[in-house]
DNA sequence: ATACATACC
DNA sequence: TACTGGTATGTAT
């Protein structure tokens, strides 16, 4: 009994560390923590969410236990050695210290809540929060006294504060205000870096330098005259009382300006400049901001929190001031150290930054290099002194939470919707991605992610869905006969192709062939392992690539079908050259042990590679054809395709949208569609396809292949393990081939691949009108 | 490369 | 009744 109680208490404590009130941030001082936590607990207890949090807490505790075990095994000697290393590192870091920059971090006070209060005077004296019963984005300072805070569900907040008013989010409004404040930021640093709608880093160094010589007139700013109301205390007059505990009689905000005729003159110092900026923000938006001024970004961020709300804090640019400041700083305040890191550090007796430096040798042995190097920088008060330019986006995603969904058809439909939304967002930014990730959260709050990287970039709804659907189907199958009981689904795309990757489709085919070449050489001739490295294409197994290519073709064909009814839009075709201009191995691929050796297929991956080809390489037989006459070349290809009618083959797979195995549902691609999409690209671009204008007989040839494959549907083999005879499975079409003769098999694979290559090359690409639009989607405004 | 976890707003 | 959504990055395999 006692034991039970004890373990319950322990898990309670663990639970608290995840769930309990975070009084780390501003506005949470002096409230009844225990009472609040009790209410949070009572409200949460027994819920699926709670259970999951408990589970995660357990995992963290186990991690800590492991760490402690590791710690126990550290010898005196190891520690000494580590200490030496730490000191070396510290010395080298110290050398990089730069105190010459003036970095400012600005942060709007309770942003969303403040905007809503500004626009609705009713709310001014009341506890309110922005969000919903399910989740709050932020709360005003009134509500914070009750323990109501960002990232807390509204229904719990209501328990803490029954009078709480919850206002739904109005993102458009916040975005508009955000644009207003960003205009002001730009006046002080045109290269400022926004962190969210309400927050930014600015480099004031240049501004300060110029400001020194500014006349007073440039530093004089007018108060807004609000109709009829005489100025009083400027702060009260300027903006509604948003925070009753905000520093009203701030010495840095003299009232004299207002009294003297509604102007205020700001000085030339950094503090004055920042105060001026905040003043202008307040004038323009009737909202207040807080700011931190420090020699680097890491410190500025901490400083902006120091005198929140409506205040600022300057950390002098001396080593002494910085080191003093750091010593008492709780580790949790540091950007990048969250609940879990804090808990782990606490377990080692590290709660503030002075402990951090004291324990650095130990930390260097227990944490990864990246982690302890970061700790080290923090403990020395170091951080970025130059604000990095806005980086390119690395991923884009959309996800949705809903009431339990366990029907497969609903799940697939939702997945499609998500893909549609995502494709729309991608289009806005002209993005093309290679990796698709599906995110699932079941009703027990367990999260799963499943990703697939394709070797070509995709962007359309259909393409994304083709990949996402497969991932989802796999998960559904894995769970069957139980259904997936989902509460959230999300789709993310990443691994965007860069602007110079102009021909992702083209590259995908080339990449496929080149990569398989590499693989062949490494798997069969170990001695040749160090052949040229693939620069950008990911190293995938042949099977993965084949699968990826099939997926792409799948998408493409389903698109073809959809578009069959409408007109065929003028689309361009990816360009590239297939020539036999070869310097190296020109051996017959079929003499090789590999089932494919497309070393003969070379292509210019970009238009800049000048190639005047005397010969063209047939994509079917891989033999050079000594002609530049496309008609002749086309006839050769036809002959090749005709010449091997007796090998088993399959048509390409078409998305069936059914729950049955796709392999069962392959269909013919309407030739008319293939043809309709075949258009010539830019002039001057050397493309194999360009050299073959769509001719009737071309497509007839292709059609024959399809017919052949229809005639000879290979027997199905889904499982790879239960085949008695040594049947081989084609990595392209994934059908088992009833032969153990490698030559026969190789012929099949060749044909299969060539067919896909042919179709692939007829695939149109959407002209990539990529504009580097940096309008990033902004998340919620959390003020923890 | 993939999966999962942590962190931030 | 009810515990987000978007992005980046670290850690582990």
């Amino acid at each position: 009994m006692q034991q039970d109680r004890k373990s319950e208490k322990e898990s309670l404590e663990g639970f608290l560390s995840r769930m309990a009130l975070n009084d780390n941030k501003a506005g949470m001082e002096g409230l009844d923590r225990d009472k609040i936590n009790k209410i949070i607990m009572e409200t949460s207890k027994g819920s699926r969410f709670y259970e999951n949090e408990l589970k995660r807490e357990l995992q963290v505790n186990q991690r800590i236990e492991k760490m402690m075990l590791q710690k126990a095994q550290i010898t005196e000697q190891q520690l000494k050695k580590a200490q030496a290393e730490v000191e070396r590192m510290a010395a080298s870091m110290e050398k990089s210290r730069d105190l010459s920059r003036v970095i400012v971090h600005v942060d709007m006070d309770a942003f969303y809540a403040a905007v809503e209060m500004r626009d609705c005077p009713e709310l001014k004296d009341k506890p309110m929060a922005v969000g919903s019963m399910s989740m709050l984005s932020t709360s005003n300072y009134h509500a914070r006294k009750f323990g109501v805070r960002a990232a807390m569900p509204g229904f719990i907040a209501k328990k803490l504060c029954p009078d709480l008013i919850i206002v739904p989010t109005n993102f458009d409004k916040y975005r508009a205000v955000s644009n207003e404040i960003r205009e002001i930021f730009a006046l002080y640093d045109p290269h400022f870096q926004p962190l969210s709608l309400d927050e930014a880093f600015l480099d004031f160094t240049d501004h300060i330098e110029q400001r020194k010589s500014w006349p007073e007139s440039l530093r004089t700013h007018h108060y807004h005259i609000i109709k009829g109301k005489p100025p009083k205390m400027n702060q009260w007059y300027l903006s509604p009382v948003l925070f009753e505990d905000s520093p009203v009689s701030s010495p840095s905000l003299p009232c004299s300006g207002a009294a003297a005729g509604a102007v205020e003159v700001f000085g030339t110092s950094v503090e004055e400049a920042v105060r001026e900026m905040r003043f202008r923000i307040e004038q323009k938006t009737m909202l207040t901001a807080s700011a931190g001024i420090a020699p680097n970004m890491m410190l500025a961020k901490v400083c902006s929190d120091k005198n929140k709300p409506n205040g600022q804090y300057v950390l002098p640019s001396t080593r002494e001031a910085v080191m003093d400041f750091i010593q008492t700083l709780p580790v949790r305040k540091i950007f990048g150290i969250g609940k879990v890191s804090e808990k782990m550090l606490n377990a080692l007796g590290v709660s503030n930054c002075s402990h951090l430096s004291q324990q650095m040798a130990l930390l260097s042995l227990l944490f990864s290099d990246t982690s302890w190097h970061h700790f080290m920088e923090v403990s020395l008060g170091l951080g970025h002194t130059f604000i990095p330019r806005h980086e390119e986006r690395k991923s884009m995603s959309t996800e949705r939470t809903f009431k339990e969904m366990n029907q497969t058809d609903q799940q697939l439909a939702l997945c499609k919707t998500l893909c549609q939304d995502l494709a729309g967002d991608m289009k806005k930014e002209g993005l093309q991605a290679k990796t698709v990730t599906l995110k699932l959260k079941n009703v027990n709050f367990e999260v799963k992610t499943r990703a697939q990287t394709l070797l070509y970039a995709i962007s359309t709804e259909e393409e994304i869905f083709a990949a996402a659907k497969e991932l989802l189907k796999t998960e559904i199958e894995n769970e069957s006969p139980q259904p997936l009981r989902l509460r959230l689904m999300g789709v993310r795309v990443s691994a965007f192709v860069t602007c110079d990757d102009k021909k992702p489709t083209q590259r995908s085919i080339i990449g496929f062939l080149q990569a398989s070449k590499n693989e062949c050489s490494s798997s069969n001739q170990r001695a040749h392992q160090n052949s040229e490295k693939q620069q950008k294409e990911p190293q995938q197994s042949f099977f993965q690539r084949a699968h990826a290519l099939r997926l792409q073709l799948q998408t493409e064909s389903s698109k073809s079908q959809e578009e069959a009814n409408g007109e065929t839009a003028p689309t361009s075709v990816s360009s590239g050259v297939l020539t036999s201009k070869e310097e190296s191995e020109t051996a017959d691929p079929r003499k090789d042990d590999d089932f494919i050796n497309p070393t003969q297929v070379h292509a210019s991956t970009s238009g800049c590679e000048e190639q005047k080809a005397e010969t063209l390489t047939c994509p079917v037989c891989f033999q050079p054809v000594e002609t530049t006459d496309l008609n002749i070349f086309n006839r050769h290809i036809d002959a090749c395709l005709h010449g091997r009618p007796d090998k088993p083959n399959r048509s390409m797979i078409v998305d069936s949208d059914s729950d049955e195995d796709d392999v069962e549902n392959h269909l013919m691609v309407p030739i008319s569609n293939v043809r309709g999409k075949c258009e010539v690209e830019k002039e001057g671009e050397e493309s194999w396809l360009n050299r073959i204008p769509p001719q009737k007989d071309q497509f007839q040839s292709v059609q024959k292949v399809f017919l052949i494959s229809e005639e000879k549907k290979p027997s199905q083999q889904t499982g790879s393990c239960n085949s008695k005879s040594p049947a081989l499975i084609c990595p392209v079409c994934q059908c088992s081939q009833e032969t153990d003769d490698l030559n026969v098999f190789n012929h099949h694979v060749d044909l299969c691949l060539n067919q896909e290559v042919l179709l692939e090359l007829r695939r149109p690409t959407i002209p990539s009108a990529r504009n580097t639009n940096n309008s990033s989607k902004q998340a919620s405004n959390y003020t923890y």
Side-chain angles (χ1 to χ4, degrees), chain A residues 53-115:
Chain A
E53 285 300 291
L54 225 60
K55 206 177 90 189
R56 293 178 59 186
E57 185 62 43
L58 226 70
Q59 283 171 8
V60 172
N61 288 341
Q62 280 170 8
R63 229 174 112 183
I64 291 173
E65 264 175 53
K66 249 192 211 169
M67 182 181 70
M68 299 309 273
L69 259 153
Q70 241 183 298
K71 185 198 168 194
Q73 288 173 351
I74 293 170
T75 63
E76 211 39 55
Q77 203 176 19
Q78 282 176 307
L79 207 61
K80 249 186 174 171
K81 199 181 155 200
Q83 184 62 39
E85 166 70 12
V86 159
E87 275 160 27
R88 250 201 317 279
M89 176 72 79
S92 113
M93 280 181 176
E94 186 61 50
K95 275 187 219 152
S96 72
R97 191 188 293 274
D98 178 1
L99 294 167
S100 70
R101 310 300 298 180
V102 181
I103 307 297
V104 176
H105 178 256
V106 208
D107 193 348
M108 298 297 288
D109 303 320
F111 187 46
Y112 298 176
V115 172

Side-chain angles (χ1 to χ4, degrees), chain A residues 104-255:
Chain A
V104 176
H105 178 256
V106 208
D107 193 348
M108 298 297 288
D109 303 320
F111 187 46
Y112 298 176
V115 172
E116 297 303 336
M117 284 164 79
R118 177 193 72 176
D119 295 348
C120 182
E122 301 282 293
L123 298 171
K124 265 169 213 165
D125 314 314
K126 302 190 176 96
M128 60 84 67
V130 178
S132 69
M133 268 315 231
S134 298
M135 186 49 60
L136 302 180
S137 287
T138 191
S139 57
N140 70 2
Y141 280 71
H142 246 303
R144 289 184 197 192
K145 282 190 290 191
F146 294 85
V148 174
R149 30 152 274 187
M152 178 182 274
F155 70 91
I156 289 179
K158 275 280 196 186
K159 286 259 162 69
L160 292 171
C161 173
D163 294 332
L164 181 75
I165 298 168
I166 297 177
V167 180
T169 48
N170 192 342
F171 267 97
D172 290 340
K173 210 153 80 176
Y174 314 143
R175 248 190 299 276
V177 179
S178 183
N179 287 335
E180 288 186 296
I181 63 173
R182 286 179 186 187
E183 280 173 17
I184 294 172
F185 293 161
L187 299 172
Y188 296 87
D189 175 11
H191 307 299
F192 75 93
Q193 183 193 52
L195 289 186
S196 61
L197 287 182
D198 77 313
E199 222 182 300
F201 277 113
L202 291 82
D203 189 337
F204 261 59
T205 316
D206 294 344
H207 173 79
I208 294 306
E209 194 54 39
Q210 289 169 24
R211 192 182 177 91
K212 280 179 190 163
S213 53
W214 278 13
E216 213 175 88
S217 62
L218 286 176
R219 294 180 275 109
T220 304
H221 296 275
H222 293 257
Y223 286 90
H224 260 191
I225 304 299
I226 296 177
K227 40 195 168 186
K229 293 195 180 175
K232 261 180 144 189
M233 292 275 282
N234 57 18
Q235 184 171 354
W236 295 69
Y237 159 65
L238 289 171
S239 62
V241 192
L242 298 180
F243 323 107
E244 74 177 39
D245 55 349
S246 65
V248 172
S249 53
S250 162
S252 62
L253 246 170
C255 318

Side-chain angles (χ1 to χ4, degrees), chain A residues 209-390:
Chain A
E209 194 54 39
Q210 289 169 24
R211 192 182 177 91
K212 280 179 190 163
S213 53
W214 278 13
E216 213 175 88
S217 62
L218 286 176
R219 294 180 275 109
T220 304
H221 296 275
H222 293 257
Y223 286 90
H224 260 191
I225 304 299
I226 296 177
K227 40 195 168 186
K229 293 195 180 175
K232 261 180 144 189
M233 292 275 282
N234 57 18
Q235 184 171 354
W236 295 69
Y237 159 65
L238 289 171
S239 62
V241 192
L242 298 180
F243 323 107
E244 74 177 39
D245 55 349
S246 65
V248 172
S249 53
S250 162
S252 62
L253 246 170
C255 318
S256 54
V263 294
E264 179 148 356
V265 181
F266 293 86
T268 55
S269 66
V270 200
E271 294 99 307
E272 284 291 287
V274 171
R275 206 167 63 75
E276 178 191 271
M277 178 179 69
R278 293 200 298 118
F279 173 89
R280 288 160 92 170
I281 290 171
E282 193 173 358
Q283 288 295 303
K284 195 168 184 174
T285 66
M286 302 215 297
L287 302 165
T288 61
S290 297
I293 305 156
N296 65 51
M297 292 170 76
M298 177 247 135
L299 293 169
K301 181 90 168 71
V302 180
C303 289
S304 71
D305 206 49
K306 201 94 179 161
N307 282 331
K308 203 169 233 307
N310 197 14
Q312 62 186 57
Y313 183 91
V314 199
L315 179 55
S317 290
T318 65
R319 187 178 186 278
E320 200 192 1
V322 169
M323 292 312 277
D324 283 354
F325 181 82
I326 280 296
Q327 296 314 304
T328 54
L329 189 69
V331 289
R332 184 65 175 83
K333 293 271 183 190
I334 285 135
F335 189 91
I337 298 182
K339 276 178 190 162
V340 174
S341 304
E342 180 193 27
K343 197 174 174 181
M344 297 211 293
L345 289 170
N346 284 349
L348 298 168
V350 174
S351 54
N352 67 36
C353 292
S354 68
H355 304 144
L356 211 53
S357 32
Q358 285 158 26
Q359 299 297 317
M360 197 53 69
L362 180 63
L363 298 178
S364 77
L365 294 171
L366 295 176
F367 289 82
S368 69
D369 282 0
T370 28
S371 292
W372 80 261
H373 289 173
H374 180 231
F375 294 155
M376 177 85 116
E377 286 178 347
V378 168
S379 73
L380 291 168
L382 298 171
H384 291 120
T385 49
F386 289 91
I387 294 169
R389 67 165 176 77
H390 190 67

Side-chain angles (χ1 to χ4, degrees), chain A residues 676-781:
Chain A
K677 283 160 173 276
C678 210
E679 298 236 344
V680 180
E681 224 196 13
K682 276 186 271 170
E683 222 183 303
E685 293 273 10
E686 285 194 300
S687 151
W688 175 70
L689 190 58
N690 287 350
R691 294 158 187 256
I692 313 168
Q695 289 176 12
K696 210 176 169 187
D697 47 357
Q698 267 298 300
F699 295 99
Q700 282 171 346
S701 305
V702 177
Q703 189 165 29
K704 283 210 172 123
V705 179
F706 286 126
L707 291 173
I708 294 157
S709 61
E710 275 300 295
E711 284 160 16
K712 285 207 168 190
K713 266 190 202 171
S715 63
Q716 203 51 50
Q717 177 168 343
T718 36
S720 50
C721 46
N722 51 6
S723 56
K724 257 193 204 167
S725 62
L728 296 162
I729 298 173
C730 168
V732 181
C733 71
Q734 288 205 336
C735 279
S736 76
Q737 301 305 306
E738 287 179 4
T739 176
D740 53 358
D741 183 337
L742 278 182
N743 284 325
V744 175
F745 182 63
N746 284 345
H747 276 287
H748 162 80
V749 177
D750 276 353
L751 196 58
C752 212
L753 185 68
N754 290 337
Q755 178 192 321
E756 301 219 7
V757 169
L758 268 178
L759 286 162
E760 173 67 8
L761 287 165
R762 283 173 171 75
R763 183 178 180 276
T765 45
I766 290 92
S768 57
R770 211 190 318 276
N771 53 342
T772 22
N773 181 5
N774 272 341
S775 67
S776 55
K777 284 194 267 182
Q778 294 291 346
S780 42
N781 160 49

Side-chain angles (χ1 to χ4, degrees), chain A residues 69 304 415 422 667:
Chain A
L69 259 153
S304 71
C415 182
L422 194 54
L667 300 167

